[in-house]
Every structure is written in structure tokens, then in C-alpha cells.
Amino acid sequence: SQQSKPKSTATQYAALLLGGCASGLACFCTHPLDTLKVNMQMNEKALRLAGSGERPPGFFATALGVAKNQGLQGLYRGLSAALMRQATYSTVRFGAYEYIKLQMDPTGKKVFTLWEKCASAMLAGAAGGVAGNPMDVANVRMQADGRLPPEQRRGYRHVFDALARMTREEGFASLYRGLLPNVQRAMLMTMGQLASYDEIKEQLIKRSNGFFVDDFITYSISSTLAGGIATILCQPVDVIKTRIMSAPPGKYSGALACLTQTIRAEGVLSLYKGFVPSFTRLGPHTILTFLFLEQLRKVYAHLTH
């Protein structure tokens, strides 16, 4: 047991960095889908204000619109904020998840129950949500900026410019706008991704009589299912979070007010607005994160043994 402590500590710090690195790589690959998701959620607002009664443009129409009006770089608007968000939010939640499990079992040999995994993931998600909130506000604003009228655009040059200007123009509290739904979403997301992935992978290997092993196919199936679970859990919170963060100051008194106003005006199904692009982003993002993570773990294990 004396030898297990240094190994556990090393594993813990590596997990902290590996999770952030894997999420950053996945984020770069899927950022255009995230930009389209934000644009779709914001489009309905413009149509409602115009009172036209038209249906908001769909996924491909939105993609063509962004590419036509802003160029291909429009799809990567807010990338610096997204990468910084992964560096804070995902590094903390992956690291905290592994850290909490190591505290419960320093030897790394215990098989955790699903409930232990879920509780660890939700605690880790809450920590990640707090750490990543300023970057998330900057990310949502930078992505939504291109479709505002020119005179209303904030024109942030990059993520640090966004953070500095928000602090200067709207006060430090603006960095934590939408904190409650963001932390709730982070808890659900981390449970949907990390706990689900671990549990599904473990059950596939344990119950398939050797059909599934610790390999690429198992990682792919586990991460695809985890991405679906995470999307179903998070979509309603995601819609509310996006609306609060991009709304002018004072429009909503809080998450509950935004929720009730949205349901009253547009119905319960509006909480699943943008579900297809959410899954088309979160599915690949989750799959890529875990595929990158498993490879990074193997490289790390090879380098440290």
C-alpha cells in the first residue's frame, strides 16, 4: 500500500491534464456544430420579435447562412473562448472525478457502483461548472455576435478581450451570469458523460463473454451511448442557459423566470429546440473526447511504466 500512494497521486494529476487535453482536441473538431446550435437557438428569438410566424431555419439552412454571411471562419467564431472553457471546465471536472474516486479508493482496485460514479461525477461537474462559467459566457456571446445587427455587436477580439470588457463594462458579476443553470448542466453533463461511459464500458466488457474487450470498438459504443444520455439530460438546461447568457441585462430575473416564460410562450417542446444539432455536436464531441482520452491514457501508461 505504500507504493500505491505515489502512483495514485501521479495518476490523479495526469488524469487532470489528460481529460482537459482530450476535451480540447474534441472541441476543436466539433466547434462548428456548437456555433450552429447557438445560432439555431437564437434564430427563433428574431422571428418571434418580427412576429412573422415563420418557422426558424433548420440545421443545413443555418449552416449555409453562417457560411454565406460570415465566411467559413464564422463557424469557428469564439474558438479561443471554447478552448479556454475546455481548459478550465473539462480539466477540472475530469480531474475532480478521478480525484474523488481516488479518495474513496487509493489503491485503484475497487469496482464502483453506478450510484458512486454518478455522485462523483455530479460533484466533479459542479466544480467544473464554477471554474468554466466566465469562459462559457464569453463563448456564447462570441458565437452569437455574428448574427446581431452591426450596431449591437460587441466585437470581442478574443476571449481575454471579452473577459476584460465584460468586467469593465458590466461588472465582475457578469462573468457569472447564468451560473446556476450552468452548474446544473455541468453536473448533468458530467454524470451523463463520465459516469455513463465508465458504467457502459464496464458492463460491456463484463457481460459479453469476451466479445467486447478494452479496445476502440468498445470505446466507440460506450461513448456514443454516453453522448446520447448526456444530450437528453442537458438539453432543457442548455436552452435556458443560452437564452440567459445572451439576453440583454434585466430581461430575465433568473433561470426559473426564463424557464416559465419560455414554456408559456413556446411550449414544453421548445426546451428541446436544437436537439438534433446538440446531439450532432455532443455525440461526436463525447466520442472524440473518450477516444482521445483512452489513447492519451495508453501513452501516459507507456511513458510511466
Side-chain angles (χ1 to χ4, degrees), residues 4 6 24-25 96-97 111 121 134 150 198 200 207 251 268 272 297:
S4 70
L25 289 166
Y97 179 65
V111 177
D198 274 0
I200 293 164
R207 295 176 186 276
K251 180 171 182 185
V268 175
Y272 280 91
R297 279 175 178 162

Side-chain angles (χ1 to χ4, degrees), residues 90-152:
S90 280
T91 302
V92 169
R93 71 193 184 112
F94 273 92
Y97 179 65
E98 296 300 331
Y99 180 80
I100 292 163
K101 290 201 298 180
L102 280 163
Q103 294 308 301
M104 293 194 282
D105 172 37
T107 64
K109 289 176 182 168
K110 174 179 155 77
V111 177
F112 291 97
T113 66
L114 176 59
W115 300 113
E116 286 171 329
K117 289 172 190 158
C118 288
S120 303
M122 289 183 85
L123 275 172
V130 172
N133 203 84
M135 301 299 172
D136 205 26
V137 179
N139 187 21
V140 168
R141 287 188 175 196
M142 288 169 78
Q143 284 178 326
D145 212 35
R147 54 170 316 285
L148 290 171
E151 67 279 2
Q152 286 179 30

